[in-house]
């Protein structure tokens, strides 16, 4: 959308004063900035507050930006020609500071002299133990006016590169160009992209004002207003795209109709269900029944904290499919988890006359051939397995439902791959995850999925007690572990295994194992080890021994993280806990607390913790609520680092910050929904601009259109 009058902004940067061909070329190469519009869309990543002044006495931090008001006391130059440098002594009422210029000394020499009142701004350094500013910005206070209002409020800081820096395109250089473009800007150069009714409803500033102010805000209030406006547009556009996609998918993608709740569902419910379902489980099952009854493909994310009982919800959905003549498949991320699901579900299924099979890379030969044949014939009701389930030439007779466990990363592409396994109508899809993604993030990441939340734990679970401790108390820890083992409980001891330092981590794990062997001697105690570098058979063997209660302690890496269920294990010791992220710690802790006894999680940490690590430990010790933890995680790490979101293009936000802008996000989603409900094709004249937002040039990214 290149509105008339804005052609100027699409011009090459060489049209801007002070930008020659060399600089323009460099900006293209290093920052993908081609036009004036691109330059304006290169927002500052932070601001330096130049509304505040400090005094010499109160500045200490090396490298901090400081701004002071005072008098030049002394000036002298040393050296000649290119070696010439200028020294000055600056003073305010609290002390003195030296200023130094290595470049441009000759030019400065002419203006700077003792007695001059100035404002200086720069980064604090120490030179011969003296507080020093090298190359400070210097502003002469005009003694003839009493006007203290200065143009500089918050000063923008732009990202730069080494190459750019060396050619004078450091943050100052970039600021100068941006300033130049903005000084020539007219209202019509930046046409409005949101309809007036939205601007009024949410009290948003115009795009023109916002773009100007995001670069050169006078104060924090103006900056906030600009940010709010741009963040709203960004989030609104994102939500609009997602909702639009979702409604068109629903319109286009037919789905199988599961109209019967029949024999198998009821038999299982009456005879096999060992407990009463929680309210949350019932609600989610109802949501699934509704989804699968209307003839539109279901795409549902079921989120529930560890131990909230997602598996049974999946099983009930599978039985619904069976009752309506369809096969299902269930995928898990690891062999261990898949086989655990299989051993539990297949037994129950056998008892009610249904057949489940297991498929993974390790199932080979005749057995594999038989399973594939029977699937094709429709003799297998449920296939449980790893990725092999979609990677392989697996053909179903009538695949009606796909369940993806513990894989919120399972992306749109993989889902599409699954659909190809079906005929003209795709199977219903249910993705289950215990990685507690904050609701708001789920909304943005999975805005095109429907979301169910199991927000209730089965009754009579005792909250896990979490404590943090250090090596000094290891003897005490060991005697506690012994007392738990004496009560018949089992223990996990988990070590971090981070790829880059895999060798070192593995030797940590082995050292820990050796030490435990010393403290817990055979044959009285049995200790097992599991880690990712072991052969799958050996891993399964060790895992199985622990599941059967034959080992007291299982030393492992995070391979046991996902979904594994050993109700008798009641203690989780996490070594080097400071090296884990919050959601991973929470996931690990979720391996215990599955039985009726009191469970414990012990976080072993080093002595020196960073502030963030300390905070993580505090949060873990203070709550068991996965959603609270996810929110805190988001705050501590920022959305870019939440597990599984790193590669998501959806999160490449320019202005909005999902941790901070939750309210804006919710408002944007709500209004986007209302607008699409009232005007699904966006044909109303009031929504002309919104239609353009949706049709926007994707490659240029969100907010990628001005001029
Ligand atoms: P997750 O949501 O982590 O996948 P699971 O489905 O593995 O949780 O369930 C955890 C444990 O809770 C299992 O042992 C399961 O049998 C049990 N469970 C599930 N639902 C209930 C319920 N409504 N009442 C009692 N126990 C339940
Ligand atoms: Mg599970």
């Amino acid at each position: 959308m290149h509105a008339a009058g804005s052609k100027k902004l699409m011009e090459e940067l060489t049209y801007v004063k002070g930008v020659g061909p060399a600089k323009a070329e460099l900006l293209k190469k290093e920052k993908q900035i081609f036009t004036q519009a691109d330059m304006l869309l290169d927002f500052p990543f932070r601001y330096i507050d130049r509304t505040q002044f400090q005094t010499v006495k109160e500045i200490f931090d090396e490298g901090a930006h400081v701004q002071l008001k005072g008098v030049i006391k002394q000036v002298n130059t040393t050296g000649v020609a290119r070696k010439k440098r200028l020294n000055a002594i600056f003073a305010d009422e609290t002390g003195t500071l030296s200023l130094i210029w290595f470049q441009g000394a000759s030019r400065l020499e002419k203006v700077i002299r003792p007695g001059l009142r100035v404002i200086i701004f720069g980064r604090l350094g120490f030179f011969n133990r003296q507080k020093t500013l090298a190359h400070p910005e210097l502003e002469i206070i005009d003694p003839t006016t009493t006007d203290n209002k200065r143009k500089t409020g918050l000063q923008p800081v732009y990202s730069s590169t080494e190459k750019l820096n060396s050619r004078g395109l450091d943050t100052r250089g970039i600021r100068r160009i941006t300033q130049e473009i903005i000084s020539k800007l007219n209202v019509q150069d930046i046409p409005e992209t949101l309809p007036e009714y939205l601007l009024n409803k949410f009290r948003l500033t115009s795009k023109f004002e916002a773009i100007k102010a995001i670069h050169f805000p006078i104060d924090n209030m103006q900056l906030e207003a600009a940010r709010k406006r741009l963040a709203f547009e960004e989030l609104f556009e994102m939500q609009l795209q997602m909702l639009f996609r979702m409604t068109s998918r629903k319109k286009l993608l037919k789905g199988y109709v599961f109209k019967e709740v029949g024999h198998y569902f009821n038999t299982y419910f009456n005879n096999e269900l060992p407990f009463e379902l929680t309210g949350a489980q019932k609600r989610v099952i109802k949501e699934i029944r509704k989804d699968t009854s209307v003839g539109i493909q279901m795409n549902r994310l079921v989120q529930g904290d560890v131990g909230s009982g997602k598996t049974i919800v999946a099983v009930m959905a599978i039985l619904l499919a069976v009752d309506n003549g369809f096969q299902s498949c269930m995928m898990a991320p690891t062999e261990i988890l898949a086989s655990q699901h299989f051993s539990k579900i297949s037994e129950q299924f056998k008892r009610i006359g249904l057949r489940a099979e297991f498929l993974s890379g390790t199932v080979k030969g005749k057995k594999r051939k038989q399973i594939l044949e029977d699937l094709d014939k429709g003799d297998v009701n449920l296939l449980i397995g790893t990725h092999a389930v979609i990677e392989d030439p697996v053909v179903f007779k009538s695949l009606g439902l796909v369940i993806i466990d513990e894989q919120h990363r399972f992306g749109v592409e993989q889902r599409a791959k699954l659909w190809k396994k079906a005929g003209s109508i795709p199977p219903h899809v249910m993705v289950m995850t215990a990685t507690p993604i904050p609701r708001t993030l789920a909304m943005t990441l999975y805005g095109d999925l429907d979301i169910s939340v199991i927000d209730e734990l089965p009754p009579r679970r005792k909250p896990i007690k979490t404590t943090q401790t250090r090596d000094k108390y290891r003897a005490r820890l060991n005697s506690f572990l012994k007392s738990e083992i004496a009560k018949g409980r089992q223990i996990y001891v988990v070590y971090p295994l981070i790829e880059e330092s895999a060798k070192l981590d593995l030797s940590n794990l082995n050292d820990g194992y050796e030490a435990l062997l010393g403290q817990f001697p055979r044959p009285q105690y049995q200790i097992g080890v599991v880690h990712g570098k072991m052969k799958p058979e050996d891993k399964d063997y060790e895992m199985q021994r622990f599941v059967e209660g034959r080992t007291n302690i299982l030393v492992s890496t995070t391979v046991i993280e996902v979904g594994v269920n050993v109700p008798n294990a009641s203690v989780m010791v996490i070594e080097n806990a400071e090296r884990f992220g919050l959601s991973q710690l929470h996931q690990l802790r979720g391996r215990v607390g599955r039985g009726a006894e009191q469970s414990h999680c012990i976080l072993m940490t080093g002595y020196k913790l960073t502030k963030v690590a300390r905070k993580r430990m505090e949060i873990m010790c203070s709550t068991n609520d996965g959603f609270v933890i996810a929110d805190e995680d988001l705050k501590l790490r920022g959305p870019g680092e939440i597990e599984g979101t790193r590669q998501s293009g959806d999160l490449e936000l320019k202005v909005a910050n999902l941790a901070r802008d939750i309210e804006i996000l919710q408002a944007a989603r709500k209004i986007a929904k209302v607008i699409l409900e009232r005007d699904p094709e966006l044909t109303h004249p009031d929504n002309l601009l919104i239609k353009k937002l949706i049709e926007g040039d994707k490659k240029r990214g969100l907010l990628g259109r001005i001029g």
Side-chain angles (χ1 to χ4, degrees):
M1 58 180 283
H2 309 309
S6 64
K7 239 171 44 205
K8 182 168 91 195
L9 287 186
M10 301 316 291
E11 283 172 354
E12 297 258 341
L13 277 173
T14 42
Y15 285 82
V16 181
K17 203 171 108 196
V19 187
K23 280 188 179 173
E25 198 54 39
L26 211 56
L27 282 165
K28 271 183 216 171
K29 265 224 183 85
E30 297 284 300
K31 292 190 74 164
Q32 281 74 52
I33 291 176
F34 291 84
T35 64
Q36 302 190 30
D38 292 341
M39 200 78 198
L40 290 180
L41 288 170
D42 179 42
F43 297 153
F45 68 92
R46 69 186 180 91
Y47 302 83
I48 298 163
D49 189 352
R50 295 200 58 182
T51 58
Q52 305 296 319
F53 291 93
Q54 287 109 309
T55 58
V56 174
K57 208 171 126 195
E58 69 191 9
I59 55 175
F60 291 105
D61 290 340
E62 191 162 1
H65 283 97
V66 296
Q67 173 165 260
L68 307 106
K69 213 187 289 191
V71 183
I72 298 293
K73 286 289 182 197
Q74 260 182 46
V75 181
N76 68 66
T77 48
T78 56
V80 285
R82 299 194 57 201
K83 290 252 174 75
K84 195 167 183 174
R85 61 156 121 153
L86 185 90
N87 291 291
I89 302 289
F90 165 95
D92 65 10
E93 26 334 327
T94 69
T96 62
L97 181 83
S98 50
L99 311 178
I100 186 162
W101 286 270
F102 299 100
Q103 287 152 21
S106 309
R107 183 163 36 86
L108 208 64
E109 209 179 3
K110 294 181 190 125
V111 282
I112 190 169
R113 57 188 156 69
L116 206 60
R117 285 192 59 74
V118 293
I119 289 168
I120 51 168
F121 171 79
R123 286 167 86 117
L124 180 62
F126 288 86
F127 209 68
N128 295 332
R129 299 245 189 105
Q130 255 279 311
K131 287 178 185 173
T132 305
L133 300 187
H135 286 276
E137 284 178 29
L138 181 123
E139 189 181 325
I140 297 164
I141 302 174
D142 186 351
T144 61
T145 90
T146 50
D147 181 14
N148 281 331
K149 277 227 181 92
R150 298 168 63 233
K151 271 178 274 147
T152 331
L154 297 171
Q155 193 168 59
V157 181
Y158 298 91
S159 71
S160 183
T161 64
E162 222 156 287
K163 265 206 186 122
L164 288 168
N165 275 331
S166 69
R167 307 285 172 82
L169 289 172
D170 56 358
T171 187
R172 271 192 223 182
I174 292 170
R175 193 191 306 149
R176 216 171 290 136
I177 299 172
T178 307
Q179 178 99 68
E180 174 65 26
I181 295 172
I182 286 186
S183 71
K184 301 262 155 61
L185 219 52
N186 300 314
V187 184
Q188 62 272 25
D189 289 328
I190 300 189
E192 189 48 63
T193 38
L194 291 176
E196 208 169 315
Y197 74 90
L198 282 182
L199 296 183
N200 292 337
K201 183 175 164 72
F202 296 102
R203 303 213 183 123
L204 301 171
T205 51
S206 70
K207 183 127 180 188
F208 175 68
E209 290 300 333
I211 291 283
K212 279 198 311 186
I214 198 90
H215 289 285
F216 299 105
I218 290 169
D219 53 24
N220 273 312
M221 228 164 78
Q222 205 189 42
L223 174 61
E224 261 324 292
R227 254 189 33 79
K228 181 181 161 192
R229 146 76 213 218
L230 295 171
F232 180 88
E233 175 171 337
E234 190 167 39
L235 295 170
F236 175 70
E237 179 178 343
M238 173 204 250
Q239 290 302 317
L240 204 65
Q241 302 265 21
M242 282 193 176
L243 292 168
F244 199 72
R245 220 164 30 201
M246 179 155 86
T247 35
S248 41
R249 174 169 59 72
K250 284 193 172 166
K251 250 182 296 176
L252 290 175
L253 282 185
K254 283 198 180 142
Y256 295 119
V257 180
F258 295 174
K259 57 173 183 293
E260 302 267 336
V261 173
H263 169 74
Y264 290 107
F265 189 98
N266 288 325
T267 310
Y268 185 92
F269 194 84
N270 296 327
N271 303 343
E272 291 292 330
L273 203 59
F275 38 66
E276 176 89 12
L277 294 174
T278 63
Q281 286 169 322
K282 284 184 196 158
R283 190 186 66 236
V284 175
I285 292 170
K286 249 187 217 145
E287 281 166 348
I288 292 165
R289 277 188 52 194
K290 195 166 160 227
D291 280 355
T292 52
S293 67
V294 288
I296 296 167
Q297 189 213 15
M298 169 174 80
N299 257 291
R300 188 167 280 279
L301 175 73
V302 176
Q303 248 198 307
D305 212 342
V306 275
S308 60
K310 291 181 292 295
T311 318
I312 202 71
V313 172
V315 168
M316 299 309 292
I318 292 164
L319 293 166
L320 197 61
V322 174
D323 278 338
N324 289 277
F326 290 97
Q327 293 167 295
S328 303
C329 105
M330 183 169 183
M331 276 174 44
T334 62
E335 182 105 12
I336 292 178
L337 185 56
S339 62
Q340 206 173 50
H341 278 320
F342 177 72
S343 56
K344 241 189 175 169
I345 296 172
S346 63
E347 299 261 311
Q348 296 177 331
F349 269 32
K350 238 181 245 161
R351 285 199 291 270
I352 58 173
L354 292 177
R355 180 167 162 206
E357 285 294 349
F358 178 80
L359 192 70
S360 80
T362 59
V363 180
K364 295 199 175 94
K366 250 167 102 184
K367 176 112 208 242
R368 176 181 211 92
K369 200 165 154 252
Q370 189 66 54
I371 293 174
L372 292 181
E373 265 176 40
D374 291 350
L375 273 170
D376 198 7
K377 275 195 274 177
D379 291 349
V380 175
N381 304 98
L382 168 64
L383 183 68
I384 298 179
T386 56
H387 265 97
V389 174
I390 50 165
E391 301 301 346
D392 269 287
V394 180
V395 182
F396 291 85
K397 182 164 182 244
S398 57
L399 181 63
L401 172 68
V402 174
I403 296 185
I404 298 154
D405 192 20
E406 300 292 0
Q407 294 192 79
H408 61 283
R409 290 171 197 230
F410 204 78
V412 176
E413 256 167 65
Q414 281 137 309
R415 273 187 262 147
K417 204 164 168 180
L418 267 172
W419 297 350
K420 294 214 188 84
K421 297 229 163 279
S424 57
I425 296 182
H428 295 300
V429 176
M430 187 174 141
V431 181
M432 305 200 291
T433 178
T435 302
I437 309 160
R439 270 160 243 248
T440 48
L441 201 56
M443 209 188 263
T444 43
L445 276 180
Y446 305 109
D448 60 340
L449 296 186
D450 293 306
I451 300 176
S452 294
V453 181
I454 305 185
D455 50 4
E456 186 184 349
L457 290 181
R460 287 183 296 285
R461 289 265 170 85
K462 291 205 180 96
I464 303 162
K465 282 191 183 148
T466 304
T467 46
Q468 181 202 344
T469 186
R470 296 159 206 269
D471 234 11
K472 200 164 86 183
Y473 299 105
R474 195 165 287 277
R476 202 191 280 179
L477 171 70
N478 285 337
S479 56
F480 170 69
L481 297 184
K482 279 181 185 160
S483 70
E484 287 293 301
I485 294 172
K487 288 190 230 162
R489 311 280 146 71
Q490 289 167 281
I491 293 156
Y492 291 107
V493 179
V494 177
Y495 282 85
L497 184 68
I498 319 273
E499 277 309 321
E500 304 100 68
S501 54
K503 268 212 182 106
L504 183 70
D505 286 337
L506 217 50
S507 81
N508 272 346
L509 179 141
N510 285 326
D511 291 351
Y513 173 57
E514 296 290 332
L516 278 172
L517 281 177
Q519 293 295 321
F520 297 81
R522 286 184 177 133
Q524 195 187 347
Y525 298 101
Q526 295 293 325
I527 308 179
V529 184
V530 183
H531 58 76
K533 296 268 184 296
M534 286 163 67
K535 282 198 209 127
E537 304 93 270
D538 298 343
K539 223 162 47 183
D540 283 354
Y541 172 78
E542 284 288 1
M543 214 47 228
Q544 205 51 42
R545 272 170 59 84
F546 189 68
V547 171
E548 288 165 10
R550 288 195 279 153
T551 20
N552 310 106
I553 303 178
L554 185 68
V555 180
S556 79
T557 58
T558 50
V559 290
I560 52 141
E561 186 181 341
V562 196
V564 175
N565 191 17
V566 183
N568 191 48
S570 64
V571 183
M572 165 69 62
V573 180
I574 304 177
E575 300 284 348
N576 303 118
E578 69 271 24
R579 289 181 58 196
F580 291 95
L582 260 184
S583 34
Q584 208 178 14
L585 287 171
H586 181 66
Q587 284 279 314
L588 285 170
R589 179 169 60 182
R591 299 303 114 224
V592 297
R594 295 181 160 233
E597 313 86 20
Q598 177 63 58
S599 290
H600 302 268
C601 173
I602 295 140
L603 307 169
M604 296 297 289
T605 64
Y607 288 88
K608 274 194 187 147
L609 297 187
T610 62
K611 219 165 122 190
V612 177
R614 210 172 322 129
K615 181 91 188 150
R616 285 203 294 264
M617 299 307 127
E618 271 169 37
I619 294 164
M620 283 299 292
C621 293
S622 66
T623 181
N624 273 303
D625 185 329
F627 285 106
V628 172
I629 287 171
D631 278 336
E632 293 290 341
D633 201 21
L634 186 60
K635 275 188 218 145
L636 286 180
R637 301 207 288 177
E641 288 181 37
I642 293 283
E643 217 184 322
T645 63
R646 215 177 298 235
Q647 296 109 317
S648 166
D650 291 341
L651 277 183
E652 277 166 25
L653 296 168
K654 258 178 111 69
V655 184
N657 172 325
L658 292 173
R660 186 173 45 182
D661 297 327
I662 284 170
E663 277 169 32
I664 299 179
L665 173 63
Q666 279 162 343
R669 183 174 175 85
K670 206 164 140 195
I671 192 74
K673 245 185 181 157
V674 171
I675 292 169
L676 284 175
E677 264 159 30
R678 288 197 192 141
D679 186 13
E681 301 299 327
L682 299 172
T683 46
H684 194 279
D686 282 354
N687 290 332
L688 206 67
L689 286 175
I690 293 181
K691 192 166 175 118
K692 281 188 179 168
L693 272 185
I694 280 204
E695 291 166 349
D697 183 353
K698 287 269 190 53
K699 258 190 287 182
R700 308 216 36 211
L702 300 165
L703 280 182
R705 274 159 265 98
I706 57 174

